[in-house]
Coordinates of all heavy atoms in Angstrom, one line a residue:
W541 N 0.2 6.9 18.8 CA -0.7 8.1 19.1 C -0.5 8.6 20.5 O -0.5 7.9 21.4 CB -2.1 7.6 18.9 CG -3.1 8.8 19.0 CD1 -3.6 9.5 17.9 CD2 -3.7 9.4 20.2 NE1 -4.4 10.5 18.4 CE2 -4.5 10.5 19.7 CE3 -3.6 9.1 21.5 CZ2 -5.2 11.3 20.6 CZ3 -4.2 9.9 22.4 CH2 -5.1 11.0 22.0
S542 N -0.3 9.9 20.5 CA -0.3 10.6 21.8 C -0.4 12.1 21.5 O -0.1 12.6 20.4 CB 1.0 10.4 22.6 OG 2.1 11.0 21.9
L543 N -0.9 12.9 22.4 CA -1.1 14.3 22.2 C 0.3 15.0 21.9 O 0.4 15.9 21.2 CB -1.8 15.0 23.4 CG -3.2 14.6 23.6 CD1 -3.8 15.3 24.8 CD2 -4.1 15.1 22.4
S544 N 1.3 14.5 22.6 CA 2.6 15.1 22.4 C 3.2 14.9 21.0 O 4.1 15.6 20.6 CB 3.6 14.4 23.4 OG 3.8 13.1 23.2
S545 N 2.6 14.0 20.2 CA 3.1 13.8 18.8 C 2.7 15.0 17.9 O 3.1 15.1 16.8 CB 2.5 12.5 18.2 OG 1.1 12.6 18.1
M546 N 1.9 15.9 18.5 CA 1.6 17.2 17.8 C 2.9 18.0 17.6 O 3.0 18.8 16.6 CB 0.5 18.0 18.4 CG -0.8 17.3 18.5 SD -2.1 18.3 19.1 CE -2.3 19.6 17.9
W547 N 3.8 17.9 18.6 CA 5.0 18.8 18.5 C 6.3 18.0 18.6 O 7.4 18.6 18.4 CB 5.0 19.8 19.7 CG 4.9 19.2 21.1 CD1 6.0 18.8 21.8 CD2 3.7 19.0 21.8 NE1 5.5 18.3 23.0 CE2 4.1 18.4 23.1 CE3 2.4 19.2 21.6 CZ2 3.2 18.0 24.0 CZ3 1.5 18.8 22.6 CH2 1.9 18.3 23.8
R548 N 6.3 16.7 18.8 CA 7.5 15.9 18.7 C 7.2 14.5 18.3 O 6.1 14.0 18.5 CB 8.2 15.8 20.1 CG 7.5 15.1 21.2 CD 8.4 14.9 22.4 NE 7.6 14.3 23.5 CZ 7.3 14.8 24.6 NH1 7.6 16.1 24.8 NH2 6.6 14.1 25.5
P549 N 8.1 13.8 17.6 CA 7.8 12.5 17.0 C 7.7 11.5 18.1 O 8.4 11.6 19.2 CB 9.1 12.2 16.1 CG 10.1 13.1 16.7 CD 9.5 14.3 17.2
P550 N 6.8 10.5 18.0 CA 6.6 9.5 19.0 C 7.9 8.6 19.1 O 8.6 8.4 18.1 CB 5.4 8.7 18.6 CG 5.4 8.9 17.1 CD 5.9 10.3 16.8
T551 N 8.1 8.0 20.3 CA 9.2 7.1 20.5 C 8.7 5.7 20.9 O 7.6 5.6 21.4 CB 10.2 7.6 21.5 OG1 9.5 7.8 22.8 CG2 10.8 8.9 21.1
R552 N 9.5 4.7 20.8 CA 9.2 3.3 21.2 C 10.0 2.9 22.4 O 11.2 3.3 22.5 CB 9.3 2.3 20.0 CG 8.5 2.6 18.8 CD 8.6 1.4 17.9 NE 7.8 1.6 16.6 CZ 8.3 2.0 15.5 NH1 9.6 2.1 15.4 NH2 7.6 2.1 14.4
P553 N 9.5 2.0 23.2 CA 10.4 1.5 24.3 C 11.5 0.7 23.6 O 11.5 0.2 22.5 CB 9.4 0.5 25.0 CG 8.1 1.1 24.8 CD 8.1 1.6 23.4
D554 N 12.6 0.5 24.4 CA 13.8 -0.1 23.9 C 13.6 -1.5 23.4 O 14.2 -1.9 22.4 CB 14.9 0.0 24.9 CG 15.4 1.4 25.3 OD1 15.1 2.3 24.5 OD2 15.9 1.6 26.4
E555 N 12.7 -2.3 24.1 CA 12.6 -3.7 23.8 C 11.5 -4.0 22.8 O 11.0 -5.1 22.7 CB 12.3 -4.5 25.1 CG 13.3 -4.2 26.2 CD 12.8 -3.0 27.1 OE1 11.9 -2.3 26.7 OE2 13.4 -2.8 28.2
T556 N 11.1 -3.0 22.0 CA 10.0 -3.2 21.0 C 10.4 -4.1 19.9 O 11.5 -4.0 19.3 CB 9.6 -1.8 20.4 OG1 9.1 -1.0 21.4 CG2 8.5 -2.0 19.4
V557 N 9.6 -5.1 19.6 CA 9.7 -6.0 18.5 C 8.6 -5.8 17.5 O 7.4 -6.0 17.9 CB 9.8 -7.5 19.0 CG1 9.8 -8.4 17.8 CG2 10.9 -7.7 19.9
L558 N 8.9 -5.3 16.3 CA 7.9 -5.0 15.3 C 7.5 -6.3 14.5 O 8.3 -7.1 14.2 CB 8.4 -3.9 14.4 CG 8.7 -2.6 15.0 CD1 9.2 -1.6 14.0 CD2 7.5 -2.0 15.7
G559 N 6.2 -6.4 14.3 CA 5.7 -7.5 13.5 C 4.7 -7.0 12.4 O 4.4 -5.8 12.3
G560 N 4.1 -8.0 11.7 CA 3.1 -7.6 10.7 C 3.7 -7.2 9.4 O 5.0 -7.0 9.3
P561 N 2.9 -7.0 8.4 CA 3.5 -6.5 7.1 C 4.2 -5.2 7.2 O 3.8 -4.3 8.0 CB 2.2 -6.4 6.2 CG 1.2 -7.2 6.9 CD 1.5 -7.1 8.4
R562 N 5.2 -5.0 6.3 CA 5.9 -3.7 6.2 C 5.0 -2.8 5.5 O 4.5 -3.1 4.4 CB 7.2 -3.9 5.5 CG 8.2 -4.7 6.3 CD 9.6 -4.8 5.6 NE 10.5 -5.5 6.4 CZ 11.2 -5.1 7.4 NH1 11.1 -3.8 7.8 NH2 12.1 -5.9 8.1
V563 N 4.8 -1.6 6.0 CA 3.9 -0.6 5.4 C 4.7 0.7 5.2 O 5.6 1.0 6.0 CB 2.7 -0.3 6.3 CG1 1.8 -1.6 6.4 CG2 3.0 0.1 7.7
P564 N 4.3 1.5 4.3 CA 5.0 2.8 4.1 C 4.8 3.7 5.3 O 3.7 3.7 5.9 CB 4.4 3.3 2.8 CG 3.1 2.6 2.7 CD 3.3 1.3 3.3
E565 N 5.8 4.5 5.6 CA 5.6 5.5 6.7 C 5.9 6.9 6.2 O 6.9 7.1 5.4 CB 6.7 5.1 7.8 CG 6.4 3.8 8.5 CD 7.4 3.6 9.7 OE1 8.0 4.6 10.0 OE2 7.4 2.5 10.2
I566 N 5.0 7.8 6.5 CA 5.2 9.2 6.2 C 6.0 9.8 7.2 O 5.8 9.6 8.4 CB 3.8 9.9 6.1 CG1 3.0 9.3 5.0 CG2 4.0 11.4 5.9 CD1 1.6 10.0 4.8
P567 N 7.1 10.6 6.8 CA 7.9 11.2 7.8 C 7.1 12.1 8.8 O 6.1 12.7 8.4 CB 8.9 12.1 7.0 CG 8.9 11.4 5.6 CD 7.5 10.9 5.5
W568 N 7.5 12.1 10.0 CA 6.7 12.9 11.0 C 6.8 14.4 10.8 O 7.9 14.9 10.4 CB 7.2 12.6 12.4 CG 6.6 13.4 13.5 CD1 5.4 13.2 14.1 CD2 7.0 14.7 14.0 NE1 5.1 14.2 15.0 CE2 6.1 15.1 14.9 CE3 8.2 15.5 13.7 CZ2 6.2 16.3 15.6 CZ3 8.3 16.7 14.4 CH2 7.4 17.1 15.4
L569 N 5.7 15.0 10.8 CA 5.6 16.5 10.7 C 4.7 17.0 11.9 O 3.8 16.3 12.3 CB 5.0 16.9 9.4 CG 5.8 16.6 8.1 CD1 4.9 17.0 6.9 CD2 7.1 17.4 8.1
P570 N 5.1 18.2 12.5 CA 4.2 18.7 13.6 C 2.8 18.8 13.1 O 2.5 19.2 12.0 CB 4.9 20.1 13.8 CG 6.3 20.0 13.3 CD 6.2 19.0 12.1
V571 N 1.9 18.4 14.0 CA 0.4 18.5 13.8 C 0.0 17.5 12.8 O -0.9 16.7 13.0 CB -0.1 19.9 13.5 CG1 -1.6 19.9 13.3 CG2 0.3 20.9 14.6
V572 N 0.6 17.5 11.6 CA 0.2 16.6 10.5 C 0.3 15.2 10.9 O -0.6 14.3 10.7 CB 1.0 16.9 9.2 CG1 0.7 15.9 8.1 CG2 0.8 18.3 8.8
G573 N 1.4 14.8 11.6 CA 1.6 13.4 12.0 C 0.5 13.0 13.0 O 0.1 11.9 13.0

Side-chain angles (χ1 to χ4, degrees):
W541 190 92
S542 69
L543 290 176
S544 64
S545 65
M546 295 185 69
W547 59 85
R548 64 169 179 251
T551 58
R552 298 189 183 103
D554 295 341
E555 307 89 350
T556 300
V557 176
L558 297 177
R562 295 186 178 276
V563 296
E565 294 186 13
I566 294 180
W568 175 84
L569 294 172
V571 181
V572 175

